[in-house]
């Protein structure tokens, strides 16, 4: 994988990150992405890394750590992972996962979880190749109707 380096995302990556989110199935504007990155930029419990191939953003991973009541260590999570369709098949996802796991570990996490959608079978295979085990289900609910 010569020519590919993983680095922290910067404000100049906003447009590329918005495009990657759209590829992941979450369309957004560059302005919205910039606001999200700004909101997360000073947090030590959240990180965004990009795979950079000679100046082109080929993919990204977002991660978080959180304390829990059921473990002494922090829990780590991959909250987003996507590789551009123009760069798939080069091992970039595995490179991003490995980099993300190192950040999680260095941040105090000793367990990493990821909750891909049930329809993302390619992601399931990737995570299994990276050593993740299928350990349960996830349930989601939109809370928009609870507003006051």
């Amino acid at each position: 994988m010569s020519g590919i380096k993983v680095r922290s995302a910067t404000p100049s990556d906003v447009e590329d990150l918005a495009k990657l989110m759209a590829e992941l199935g979450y369309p957004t504007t560059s302005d919205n992405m910039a606001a999200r990155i700004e909101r997360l930029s000073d947090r030590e419990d959240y990180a965004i890394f990009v795979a950079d191939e000679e100046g082109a953003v080929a993919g990204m991973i977002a991660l978080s750590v959180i304390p829990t009541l059921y473990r002494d260590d922090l829990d780590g999570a991959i909250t987003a992972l996507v590789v551009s369709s123009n760069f798939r098949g080069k091992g970039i996802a595995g490179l991003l996962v490995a980099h993300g796991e190192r950040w999680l570990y260095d941040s105090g996490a000793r367990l990493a979880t990821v909750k891909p959608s049930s329809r993302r079978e390619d992601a399931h295979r990737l995570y299994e190749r990276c050593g993740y085990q299928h350990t349960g289900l996830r349930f989601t609910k939109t809370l928009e109707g609870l507003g006051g």
Side-chain angles (χ1 to χ4, degrees), residues 109-130:
R110 297 300 177 262
L111 177 72
T113 60
V114 61
K115 300 180 238 177
S117 169
S118 59
R119 71 181 192 284
R120 296 192 189 283
E121 294 180 13
D122 54 339
H124 302 173
R125 289 188 296 275
L126 166 73
Y127 291 120
E128 287 173 350
R129 283 193 309 272
C130 290

Side-chain angles (χ1 to χ4, degrees), residues 85-143:
S85 58
N86 298 328
F87 293 93
R88 291 186 187 145
K90 296 183 174 187
I92 294 171
L95 181 69
L96 286 166
V97 168
H99 189 89
E101 288 172 345
R102 172 50 55 187
W103 181 86
L104 290 169
Y105 186 87
D106 291 348
S107 297
R110 297 300 177 262
L111 177 72
T113 60
V114 61
K115 300 180 238 177
S117 169
S118 59
R119 71 181 192 284
R120 296 192 189 283
E121 294 180 13
D122 54 339
H124 302 173
R125 289 188 296 275
L126 166 73
Y127 291 120
E128 287 173 350
R129 283 193 309 272
C130 290
Y132 288 74
Q133 299 174 345
H134 182 236
T135 58
L137 301 172
R138 83 174 169 183
F139 295 89
T140 60
K141 178 181 179 181
T142 300
L143 300 178

Side-chain angles (χ1 to χ4, degrees), residues 36-53:
R36 292 173 193 166
I37 290 172
E38 175 64 28
R39 193 168 52 234
L40 296 166
S41 65
D42 291 332
R43 296 182 62 128
E44 292 184 15
D45 60 349
Y46 203 90
I48 306 166
F49 297 103
V50 297
D52 183 309
E53 185 172 44

